[in-house]
Amino acid sequence: MLKQFILLSVSLGIPLLICLIVLSSMVPRARISTLSQATAAQISENLSTNVGLELISLNPGYSVQGHRLQTQPMFVQIASKAKDALVKRTRNEYFRELLRDHIAHEIQLVMISADMSAESLVGTVVAALDSDKIGDTFNYALYEDEQITPLSSQVNIGTYGDKWTAFSPVFNLNQETVAMVVVHSDAGLINWLDWSGVAFAFVLVGSVIGLSIYFASKVSRRIYHPIKSLHEGMLELASGHLGVKVASHQTGDEFDDLIRHFNQTSQQLKERMTMLNAMEMAAEIQSKLLPDEIPEIHRYDLSATLQYAELAGGDYYDFILLTDENAANKKWLLVVGDVTGHGVSAALLVAWLRATVRLLARECGGALALLSRRLNASMLQDMNTGKFVTLFFAIVESDNNKLNWLSAGHDPARLYTGQLEAPKLLDATGPPIGVVADASWHQGDEIVFNDDDVLLIMTDGLQDAKNPTGQRLGADAIDQCMKSNQVKSAKGAQQALIERMDVHRTGANLADDVTLMIVKRQP
């Protein structure tokens, strides 16, 4: 940033320097030229209007010395008054001193010969103020201004060597130029003023650039260091060093706020990543708690799936063999559960629930009410966290088509048969687990599975799946989808139902975990 300020200062300073140099040359020259011309004009006017011009007409019978005797006193008086008047009108004391000593420091009256031509531009000095050159010739051709002629009718200015000279004509009664008032100023002074102006311009512009660089460095340090610290902090953050902190520079402005917000964000990212790592670990552990494969049960087609709203959640399902693996008639316990909430805390409770249900299920056999009571007591004693769980238990056997079930506050399971247009709802037969210590549960009415009958066990996340406008999927859409796909396998019906939910959501995130288990009786 300092480089940009320096570049800006220099880029602005160079044009400023050029302008100051030009102005420093023009202003003194213009001022001195004005004073010189004003002096010459005033004197020539007084000579033309207030003096008998015949006295200053060059008479061949007079010698120069004789002419001087006639002209010198009158000319000195007029020239002195004109110069003094200009000195008094000049308010600037510096230019008043210049006028006294260097501007109009020689004033001469040059007579023009009657036969003077443009090729012979030479006159005679017949009177002078502050000069001893009376009688000398005056050569107009030496001056640079080509417009200066013996017949000039206006005030002109010209330079020669170290002289800065103004010319003003003196007219006779016939308005003919008979003489020229010549006012000399010090050209060396003008050159000195030029160089002084240049030096002043360099000093001024150098001071401006220096001050600009100084203040730019102060401002850049105030801005650069906080930005540099934030940049380094961002690089640290991008490299994975979460929780990095940037020291405050005590600027007392928005940079302090920005650094404070950066530090807060960095700490929040660290905490978020710690939580995310914990959730990823919980999700990995939880995924291993789900059944590796769907069991094969004679004349039953089973399918199950689970989608978490976050990395880990509070839904779970399980298949538990209640009999010996070598038994002729195998009895299986099908479980679908939903712990309140989702995330890491719910996932931890699911891990406890799975282990406890598996242990108690084998002890209680097919007594689902007893299983519910013992599970409720264990949860209130061991996991008194204020959370509760809804569960749906179902028992199927490989050698019959009977299904025994119990619902502990769970969403109704839905039985689809060929005889009924609407599904049969298997409502709760007791409260959720972990709410009331002395609660009781009872098994629902035994269900007889006919061929192609389908039982859908689900958690509430399926019905509550919302589209971007907030509309729920609802039970009607679920029933319609299941009836349309009842002839498919359990896996095919499950996929159709998941696709129906995804079409409804159109990319909206799940608000809750979704678990489906489908049990179909095969011919």
Side-chain angles (χ1 to χ4, degrees), residues 83-123:
K83 184 174 180 179
D84 290 342
L86 285 174
V87 170
K88 290 179 181 179
R89 286 201 298 268
T90 304
R91 296 182 179 181
N92 189 297
E93 185 63 29
Y94 177 71
F95 277 104
R96 292 176 69 175
E97 293 296 325
L98 292 180
L99 187 60
R100 292 191 186 98
D101 301 330
H102 299 280
I103 303 173
H105 68 286
E106 288 187 24
I107 303 176
Q108 300 169 354
L109 178 64
V110 177
M111 300 303 299
I112 298 175
S113 302
D115 60 350
M116 194 173 191
S117 64
E119 291 78 16
S120 178
L121 303 177
V122 178

mmCIF file of all heavy atoms in Angstrom, residues 83-123:
data_model
loop_
_atom_site.group_PDB
_atom_site.id
_atom_site.type_symbol
_atom_site.label_atom_id
_atom_site.label_comp_id
_atom_site.label_asym_id
_atom_site.label_seq_id
_atom_site.Cartn_x
_atom_site.Cartn_y
_atom_site.Cartn_z
ATOM 1 N N LYS A 83 8.409 57.193 -12.095
ATOM 2 C CA LYS A 83 8.944 56.052 -11.361
ATOM 3 C C LYS A 83 8.463 56.065 -9.919
ATOM 4 O O LYS A 83 8.067 55.022 -9.369
ATOM 5 C CB LYS A 83 10.474 56.069 -11.428
ATOM 6 C CG LYS A 83 11.101 54.848 -10.770
ATOM 7 C CD LYS A 83 12.606 54.827 -10.996
ATOM 8 C CE LYS A 83 13.225 53.599 -10.338
ATOM 9 N NZ LYS A 83 14.688 53.549 -10.558
ATOM 10 N N ASP A 84 8.486 57.251 -9.293
ATOM 11 C CA ASP A 84 8.025 57.344 -7.900
ATOM 12 C C ASP A 84 6.547 56.969 -7.786
ATOM 13 O O ASP A 84 6.122 56.335 -6.802
ATOM 14 C CB ASP A 84 8.240 58.764 -7.375
ATOM 15 C CG ASP A 84 9.731 59.082 -7.185
ATOM 16 O OD1 ASP A 84 10.521 58.110 -7.138
ATOM 17 O OD2 ASP A 84 10.075 60.264 -7.093
ATOM 18 N N ALA A 85 5.756 57.373 -8.792
ATOM 19 C CA ALA A 85 4.331 57.040 -8.755
ATOM 20 C C ALA A 85 4.125 55.528 -8.819
ATOM 21 O O ALA A 85 3.270 54.958 -8.125
ATOM 22 C CB ALA A 85 3.609 57.735 -9.905
ATOM 23 N N LEU A 86 4.909 54.878 -9.673
ATOM 24 C CA LEU A 86 4.791 53.421 -9.768
ATOM 25 C C LEU A 86 5.229 52.740 -8.481
ATOM 26 O O LEU A 86 4.649 51.742 -8.040
ATOM 27 C CB LEU A 86 5.613 52.889 -10.942
ATOM 28 C CG LEU A 86 5.014 53.133 -12.333
ATOM 29 C CD1 LEU A 86 5.985 52.687 -13.421
ATOM 30 C CD2 LEU A 86 3.694 52.381 -12.480
ATOM 31 N N VAL A 87 6.265 53.272 -7.863
ATOM 32 C CA VAL A 87 6.735 52.708 -6.586
ATOM 33 C C VAL A 87 5.640 52.814 -5.540
ATOM 34 O O VAL A 87 5.371 51.880 -4.787
ATOM 35 C CB VAL A 87 8.015 53.428 -6.125
ATOM 36 C CG1 VAL A 87 8.379 53.022 -4.699
ATOM 37 C CG2 VAL A 87 9.167 53.109 -7.071
ATOM 38 N N LYS A 88 4.969 53.947 -5.484
ATOM 39 C CA LYS A 88 3.916 54.138 -4.483
ATOM 40 C C LYS A 88 2.711 53.232 -4.759
ATOM 41 O O LYS A 88 2.052 52.763 -3.831
ATOM 42 C CB LYS A 88 3.480 55.607 -4.482
ATOM 43 C CG LYS A 88 4.537 56.550 -3.932
ATOM 44 C CD LYS A 88 4.060 57.982 -3.976
ATOM 45 C CE LYS A 88 5.132 58.940 -3.442
ATOM 46 N NZ LYS A 88 4.685 60.358 -3.496
ATOM 47 N N ARG A 89 2.401 53.009 -6.046
ATOM 48 C CA ARG A 89 1.251 52.163 -6.355
ATOM 49 C C ARG A 89 1.528 50.672 -6.167
ATOM 50 O O ARG A 89 0.605 49.868 -6.131
ATOM 51 C CB ARG A 89 0.813 52.412 -7.811
ATOM 52 C CG ARG A 89 0.109 53.734 -8.023
ATOM 53 C CD ARG A 89 -0.718 53.702 -9.286
ATOM 54 N NE ARG A 89 0.093 53.490 -10.476
ATOM 55 C CZ ARG A 89 0.600 54.466 -11.222
ATOM 56 N NH1 ARG A 89 0.389 55.727 -10.881
ATOM 57 N NH2 ARG A 89 1.312 54.193 -12.280
ATOM 58 N N THR A 90 2.768 50.298 -6.069
ATOM 59 C CA THR A 90 3.129 48.889 -5.872
ATOM 60 C C THR A 90 3.023 48.544 -4.391
ATOM 61 O O THR A 90 3.823 49.009 -3.578
ATOM 62 C CB THR A 90 4.560 48.613 -6.380
ATOM 63 O OG1 THR A 90 4.649 49.000 -7.759
ATOM 64 C CG2 THR A 90 4.910 47.141 -6.230
ATOM 65 N N ARG A 91 2.027 47.747 -4.036
ATOM 66 C CA ARG A 91 1.792 47.435 -2.629
ATOM 67 C C ARG A 91 2.763 46.402 -2.087
ATOM 68 O O ARG A 91 3.038 46.364 -0.895
ATOM 69 C CB ARG A 91 0.353 46.931 -2.456
ATOM 70 C CG ARG A 91 -0.695 47.989 -2.801
ATOM 71 C CD ARG A 91 -2.089 47.442 -2.570
ATOM 72 N NE ARG A 91 -3.099 48.440 -2.879
ATOM 73 C CZ ARG A 91 -4.407 48.258 -2.757
ATOM 74 N NH1 ARG A 91 -4.863 47.073 -2.354
ATOM 75 N NH2 ARG A 91 -5.254 49.203 -3.066
ATOM 76 N N ASN A 92 3.223 45.520 -2.954
ATOM 77 C CA ASN A 92 4.145 44.483 -2.513
ATOM 78 C C ASN A 92 5.513 45.099 -2.236
ATOM 79 O O ASN A 92 6.154 45.640 -3.131
ATOM 80 C CB ASN A 92 4.247 43.382 -3.593
ATOM 81 C CG ASN A 92 5.017 42.179 -3.099
ATOM 82 O OD1 ASN A 92 6.195 42.278 -2.796
ATOM 83 N ND2 ASN A 92 4.329 41.030 -3.058
ATOM 84 N N GLU A 93 5.943 45.007 -0.987
ATOM 85 C CA GLU A 93 7.206 45.638 -0.593
ATOM 86 C C GLU A 93 8.378 45.049 -1.343
ATOM 87 O O GLU A 93 9.343 45.762 -1.670
ATOM 88 C CB GLU A 93 7.407 45.467 0.919
ATOM 89 C CG GLU A 93 8.638 46.186 1.461
ATOM 90 C CD GLU A 93 8.547 47.692 1.279
ATOM 91 O OE1 GLU A 93 7.415 48.220 1.272
ATOM 92 O OE2 GLU A 93 9.611 48.327 1.128
ATOM 93 N N TYR A 94 8.290 43.740 -1.642
ATOM 94 C CA TYR A 94 9.400 43.094 -2.359
ATOM 95 C C TYR A 94 9.550 43.702 -3.748
ATOM 96 O O TYR A 94 10.650 44.065 -4.173
ATOM 97 C CB TYR A 94 9.134 41.589 -2.442
ATOM 98 C CG TYR A 94 10.168 40.823 -3.231
ATOM 99 C CD1 TYR A 94 11.452 40.636 -2.732
ATOM 100 C CD2 TYR A 94 9.854 40.289 -4.486
ATOM 101 C CE1 TYR A 94 12.394 39.928 -3.459
ATOM 102 C CE2 TYR A 94 10.784 39.588 -5.207
ATOM 103 C CZ TYR A 94 12.066 39.408 -4.694
ATOM 104 O OH TYR A 94 12.994 38.717 -5.413
ATOM 105 N N PHE A 95 8.419 43.870 -4.463
ATOM 106 C CA PHE A 95 8.496 44.456 -5.798
ATOM 107 C C PHE A 95 8.813 45.956 -5.737
ATOM 108 O O PHE A 95 9.377 46.515 -6.675
ATOM 109 C CB PHE A 95 7.188 44.211 -6.556
ATOM 110 C CG PHE A 95 7.125 42.857 -7.205
ATOM 111 C CD1 PHE A 95 6.368 41.842 -6.657
ATOM 112 C CD2 PHE A 95 7.847 42.602 -8.362
ATOM 113 C CE1 PHE A 95 6.309 40.607 -7.249
ATOM 114 C CE2 PHE A 95 7.789 41.361 -8.958
ATOM 115 C CZ PHE A 95 7.019 40.346 -8.407
ATOM 116 N N ARG A 96 8.475 46.605 -4.664
ATOM 117 C CA ARG A 96 8.842 48.026 -4.514
ATOM 118 C C ARG A 96 10.359 48.170 -4.441
ATOM 119 O O ARG A 96 10.948 49.078 -5.036
ATOM 120 C CB ARG A 96 8.190 48.620 -3.275
ATOM 121 C CG ARG A 96 6.674 48.729 -3.409
ATOM 122 C CD ARG A 96 6.021 49.226 -2.153
ATOM 123 N NE ARG A 96 6.342 50.622 -1.901
ATOM 124 C CZ ARG A 96 5.830 51.351 -0.913
ATOM 125 N NH1 ARG A 96 4.950 50.771 -0.079
ATOM 126 N NH2 ARG A 96 6.146 52.614 -0.754
ATOM 127 N N GLU A 97 11.010 47.285 -3.715
ATOM 128 C CA GLU A 97 12.464 47.316 -3.634
ATOM 129 C C GLU A 97 13.085 47.000 -4.996
ATOM 130 O O GLU A 97 14.085 47.611 -5.390
ATOM 131 C CB GLU A 97 12.956 46.314 -2.588
ATOM 132 C CG GLU A 97 12.576 46.670 -1.156
ATOM 133 C CD GLU A 97 13.232 47.991 -0.723
ATOM 134 O OE1 GLU A 97 14.377 48.251 -1.162
ATOM 135 O OE2 GLU A 97 12.604 48.751 0.014
ATOM 136 N N LEU A 98 12.468 46.010 -5.684
ATOM 137 C CA LEU A 98 12.990 45.692 -7.018
ATOM 138 C C LEU A 98 12.845 46.872 -7.955
ATOM 139 O O LEU A 98 13.717 47.143 -8.790
ATOM 140 C CB LEU A 98 12.244 44.476 -7.580
ATOM 141 C CG LEU A 98 12.478 43.124 -6.903
ATOM 142 C CD1 LEU A 98 11.660 42.041 -7.599
ATOM 143 C CD2 LEU A 98 13.958 42.753 -6.924
ATOM 144 N N LEU A 99 11.719 47.572 -7.852
ATOM 145 C CA LEU A 99 11.475 48.714 -8.723
ATOM 146 C C LEU A 99 12.497 49.825 -8.467
ATOM 147 O O LEU A 99 12.959 50.498 -9.388
ATOM 148 C CB LEU A 99 10.043 49.223 -8.516
ATOM 149 C CG LEU A 99 9.544 50.309 -9.462
ATOM 150 C CD1 LEU A 99 9.580 49.806 -10.899
ATOM 151 C CD2 LEU A 99 8.149 50.739 -9.083
ATOM 152 N N ARG A 100 12.838 50.005 -7.211
ATOM 153 C CA ARG A 100 13.815 51.050 -6.891
ATOM 154 C C ARG A 100 15.209 50.713 -7.418
ATOM 155 O O ARG A 100 15.937 51.589 -7.890
ATOM 156 C CB ARG A 100 13.892 51.249 -5.370
ATOM 157 C CG ARG A 100 12.645 51.860 -4.746
ATOM 158 C CD ARG A 100 12.924 52.250 -3.310
ATOM 159 N NE ARG A 100 11.721 52.704 -2.614
ATOM 160 C CZ ARG A 100 10.978 51.958 -1.816
ATOM 161 N NH1 ARG A 100 11.317 50.696 -1.617
ATOM 162 N NH2 ARG A 100 9.916 52.458 -1.237
ATOM 163 N N ASP A 101 15.594 49.408 -7.280
ATOM 164 C CA ASP A 101 16.993 49.051 -7.506
ATOM 165 C C ASP A 101 17.243 48.321 -8.816
ATOM 166 O O ASP A 101 18.350 48.420 -9.369
ATOM 167 C CB ASP A 101 17.489 48.171 -6.359
ATOM 168 C CG ASP A 101 17.372 48.862 -5.002
ATOM 169 O OD1 ASP A 101 17.465 50.108 -4.985
ATOM 170 O OD2 ASP A 101 17.169 48.169 -3.986
ATOM 171 N N HIS A 102 16.256 47.566 -9.317
ATOM 172 C CA HIS A 102 16.539 46.705 -10.463
ATOM 173 C C HIS A 102 15.582 46.905 -11.622
ATOM 174 O O HIS A 102 15.956 46.668 -12.764
ATOM 175 C CB HIS A 102 16.497 45.223 -10.033
ATOM 176 C CG HIS A 102 17.498 44.871 -8.995
ATOM 177 N ND1 HIS A 102 18.825 44.622 -9.299
ATOM 178 C CD2 HIS A 102 17.387 44.744 -7.634
ATOM 179 C CE1 HIS A 102 19.483 44.332 -8.188
ATOM 180 N NE2 HIS A 102 18.639 44.406 -7.163
ATOM 181 N N ILE A 103 14.368 47.301 -11.345
ATOM 182 C CA ILE A 103 13.404 47.518 -12.414
ATOM 183 C C ILE A 103 13.398 49.015 -12.749
ATOM 184 O O ILE A 103 13.334 49.857 -11.863
ATOM 185 C CB ILE A 103 11.998 47.065 -11.990
ATOM 186 C CG1 ILE A 103 12.016 45.592 -11.583
ATOM 187 C CG2 ILE A 103 10.988 47.263 -13.122
ATOM 188 C CD1 ILE A 103 10.719 45.093 -11.004
ATOM 189 N N ALA A 104 13.476 49.309 -14.041
ATOM 190 C CA ALA A 104 13.570 50.708 -14.494
ATOM 191 C C ALA A 104 14.750 51.405 -13.834
ATOM 192 O O ALA A 104 14.646 52.554 -13.409
ATOM 193 C CB ALA A 104 12.257 51.439 -14.207
ATOM 194 N N HIS A 105 15.865 50.693 -13.748
ATOM 195 C CA HIS A 105 17.032 51.301 -13.098
ATOM 196 C C HIS A 105 17.768 52.257 -14.052
ATOM 197 O O HIS A 105 18.605 53.039 -13.625
ATOM 198 C CB HIS A 105 17.990 50.213 -12.593
ATOM 199 C CG HIS A 105 18.675 49.437 -13.683
ATOM 200 N ND1 HIS A 105 18.016 48.484 -14.445
ATOM 201 C CD2 HIS A 105 19.955 49.485 -14.149
ATOM 202 C CE1 HIS A 105 18.873 47.971 -15.311
ATOM 203 N NE2 HIS A 105 20.052 48.574 -15.157
ATOM 204 N N GLU A 106 17.458 52.177 -15.365
ATOM 205 C CA GLU A 106 17.966 53.174 -16.331
ATOM 206 C C GLU A 106 16.783 53.612 -17.192
ATOM 207 O O GLU A 106 16.067 52.774 -17.734
ATOM 208 C CB GLU A 106 19.055 52.577 -17.234
ATOM 209 C CG GLU A 106 20.389 52.333 -16.528
ATOM 210 C CD GLU A 106 21.459 51.899 -17.510
ATOM 211 O OE1 GLU A 106 21.321 52.223 -18.715
ATOM 212 O OE2 GLU A 106 22.401 51.224 -17.084
ATOM 213 N N ILE A 107 16.580 54.930 -17.317
ATOM 214 C CA ILE A 107 15.521 55.459 -18.167
ATOM 215 C C ILE A 107 16.159 56.480 -19.107
ATOM 216 O O ILE A 107 16.825 57.419 -18.645
ATOM 217 C CB ILE A 107 14.403 56.136 -17.338
ATOM 218 C CG1 ILE A 107 13.831 55.129 -16.322
ATOM 219 C CG2 ILE A 107 13.293 56.643 -18.259
ATOM 220 C CD1 ILE A 107 12.795 55.719 -15.396
ATOM 221 N N GLN A 108 15.976 56.285 -20.406
ATOM 222 C CA GLN A 108 16.636 57.143 -21.404
ATOM 223 C C GLN A 108 15.620 57.675 -22.403
ATOM 224 O O GLN A 108 14.587 57.052 -22.640
ATOM 225 C CB GLN A 108 17.717 56.335 -22.158
ATOM 226 C CG GLN A 108 18.806 55.779 -21.251
ATOM 227 C CD GLN A 108 19.698 54.786 -21.976
ATOM 228 O OE1 GLN A 108 19.425 54.432 -23.119
ATOM 229 N NE2 GLN A 108 20.757 54.353 -21.303
ATOM 230 N N LEU A 109 15.970 58.850 -22.952
ATOM 231 C CA LEU A 109 15.195 59.421 -24.040
ATOM 232 C C LEU A 109 16.061 59.361 -25.289
ATOM 233 O O LEU A 109 17.146 59.944 -25.336
ATOM 234 C CB LEU A 109 14.801 60.872 -23.753
ATOM 235 C CG LEU A 109 14.014 61.574 -24.853
ATOM 236 C CD1 LEU A 109 12.666 60.905 -25.064
ATOM 237 C CD2 LEU A 109 13.815 63.047 -24.508
ATOM 238 N N VAL A 110 15.599 58.632 -26.297
ATOM 239 C CA VAL A 110 16.369 58.426 -27.524
ATOM 240 C C VAL A 110 15.673 59.195 -28.651
ATOM 241 O O VAL A 110 14.482 58.954 -28.929
ATOM 242 C CB VAL A 110 16.463 56.928 -27.869
ATOM 243 C CG1 VAL A 110 17.211 56.739 -29.180
ATOM 244 C CG2 VAL A 110 17.140 56.166 -26.730
ATOM 245 N N MET A 111 16.411 60.137 -29.292
ATOM 246 C CA MET A 111 15.870 60.917 -30.397
ATOM 247 C C MET A 111 16.034 60.154 -31.694
ATOM 248 O O MET A 111 17.038 59.495 -31.937
ATOM 249 C CB MET A 111 16.581 62.273 -30.512
ATOM 250 C CG MET A 111 16.441 63.132 -29.266
ATOM 251 S SD MET A 111 14.728 63.456 -28.798
ATOM 252 C CE MET A 111 14.173 64.328 -30.250
ATOM 253 N N ILE A 112 14.983 60.253 -32.515
ATOM 254 C CA ILE A 112 14.985 59.551 -33.787
ATOM 255 C C ILE A 112 15.293 60.551 -34.889
ATOM 256 O O ILE A 112 14.666 61.604 -34.969
ATOM 257 C CB ILE A 112 13.615 58.896 -34.037
ATOM 258 C CG1 ILE A 112 13.332 57.854 -32.948
ATOM 259 C CG2 ILE A 112 13.569 58.236 -35.413
ATOM 260 C CD1 ILE A 112 11.963 57.240 -33.049
ATOM 261 N N SER A 113 16.263 60.237 -35.763
ATOM 262 C CA SER A 113 16.615 61.119 -36.872
ATOM 263 C C SER A 113 15.481 61.146 -37.884
ATOM 264 O O SER A 113 14.773 60.153 -38.078
ATOM 265 C CB SER A 113 17.913 60.650 -37.550
ATOM 266 O OG SER A 113 18.965 60.623 -36.605
ATOM 267 N N ALA A 114 15.342 62.306 -38.537
ATOM 268 C CA ALA A 114 14.263 62.446 -39.511
ATOM 269 C C ALA A 114 14.453 61.506 -40.683
ATOM 270 O O ALA A 114 13.475 61.037 -41.292
ATOM 271 C CB ALA A 114 14.191 63.887 -39.999
ATOM 272 N N ASP A 115 15.694 61.200 -41.023
ATOM 273 C CA ASP A 115 15.972 60.305 -42.154
ATOM 274 C C ASP A 115 16.183 58.864 -41.727
ATOM 275 O O ASP A 115 16.707 58.051 -42.475
ATOM 276 C CB ASP A 115 17.195 60.815 -42.920
ATOM 277 C CG ASP A 115 18.432 60.869 -42.019
ATOM 278 O OD1 ASP A 115 18.241 60.698 -40.780
ATOM 279 O OD2 ASP A 115 19.533 61.052 -42.533
ATOM 280 N N MET A 116 15.763 58.536 -40.499
ATOM 281 C CA MET A 116 15.989 57.185 -39.975
ATOM 282 C C MET A 116 15.088 56.204 -40.728
ATOM 283 O O MET A 116 13.909 56.451 -40.927
ATOM 284 C CB MET A 116 15.677 57.143 -38.477
ATOM 285 C CG MET A 116 16.179 55.902 -37.785
ATOM 286 S SD MET A 116 15.927 56.093 -36.003
ATOM 287 C CE MET A 116 16.870 54.703 -35.434
ATOM 288 N N SER A 117 15.645 55.093 -41.169
ATOM 289 C CA SER A 117 14.887 54.085 -41.916
ATOM 290 C C SER A 117 14.894 52.777 -41.121
ATOM 291 O O SER A 117 15.612 52.602 -40.138
ATOM 292 C CB SER A 117 15.506 53.886 -43.312
ATOM 293 O OG SER A 117 16.820 53.363 -43.174
ATOM 294 N N ALA A 118 14.095 51.837 -41.627
ATOM 295 C CA ALA A 118 14.014 50.532 -40.958
ATOM 296 C C ALA A 118 15.335 49.801 -41.013
ATOM 297 O O ALA A 118 15.634 48.951 -40.170
ATOM 298 C CB ALA A 118 12.910 49.693 -41.595
ATOM 299 N N GLU A 119 16.169 50.099 -42.020
ATOM 300 C CA GLU A 119 17.466 49.427 -42.123
ATOM 301 C C GLU A 119 18.500 50.082 -41.217
ATOM 302 O O GLU A 119 19.544 49.521 -40.936
ATOM 303 C CB GLU A 119 17.973 49.464 -43.570
ATOM 304 C CG GLU A 119 17.159 48.604 -44.529
ATOM 305 C CD GLU A 119 15.853 49.259 -44.932
ATOM 306 O OE1 GLU A 119 15.729 50.480 -44.725
ATOM 307 O OE2 GLU A 119 14.944 48.534 -45.397
ATOM 308 N N SER A 120 18.232 51.297 -40.771
ATOM 309 C CA SER A 120 19.186 52.018 -39.929
ATOM 310 C C SER A 120 18.504 52.400 -38.631
ATOM 311 O O SER A 120 18.055 53.522 -38.445
ATOM 312 C CB SER A 120 19.691 53.274 -40.673
ATOM 313 O OG SER A 120 20.576 53.988 -39.832
ATOM 314 N N LEU A 121 18.405 51.389 -37.740
ATOM 315 C CA LEU A 121 17.659 51.573 -36.500
ATOM 316 C C LEU A 121 18.606 52.063 -35.405
ATOM 317 O O LEU A 121 18.911 51.354 -34.445
ATOM 318 C CB LEU A 121 16.982 50.262 -36.102
ATOM 319 C CG LEU A 121 16.023 49.652 -37.145
ATOM 320 C CD1 LEU A 121 15.475 48.339 -36.659
ATOM 321 C CD2 LEU A 121 14.912 50.627 -37.445
ATOM 322 N N VAL A 122 19.091 53.284 -35.553
ATOM 323 C CA VAL A 122 20.026 53.839 -34.583
ATOM 324 C C VAL A 122 19.528 55.226 -34.180
ATOM 325 O O VAL A 122 19.188 56.053 -35.036
ATOM 326 C CB VAL A 122 21.454 53.948 -35.152
ATOM 327 C CG1 VAL A 122 22.391 54.584 -34.130
ATOM 328 C CG2 VAL A 122 21.962 52.558 -35.540
ATOM 329 N N GLY A 123 19.461 55.478 -32.861
ATOM 330 C CA GLY A 123 19.070 56.784 -32.359
ATOM 331 C C GLY A 123 20.149 57.321 -31.439
ATOM 332 O O GLY A 123 21.186 56.691 -31.212
#
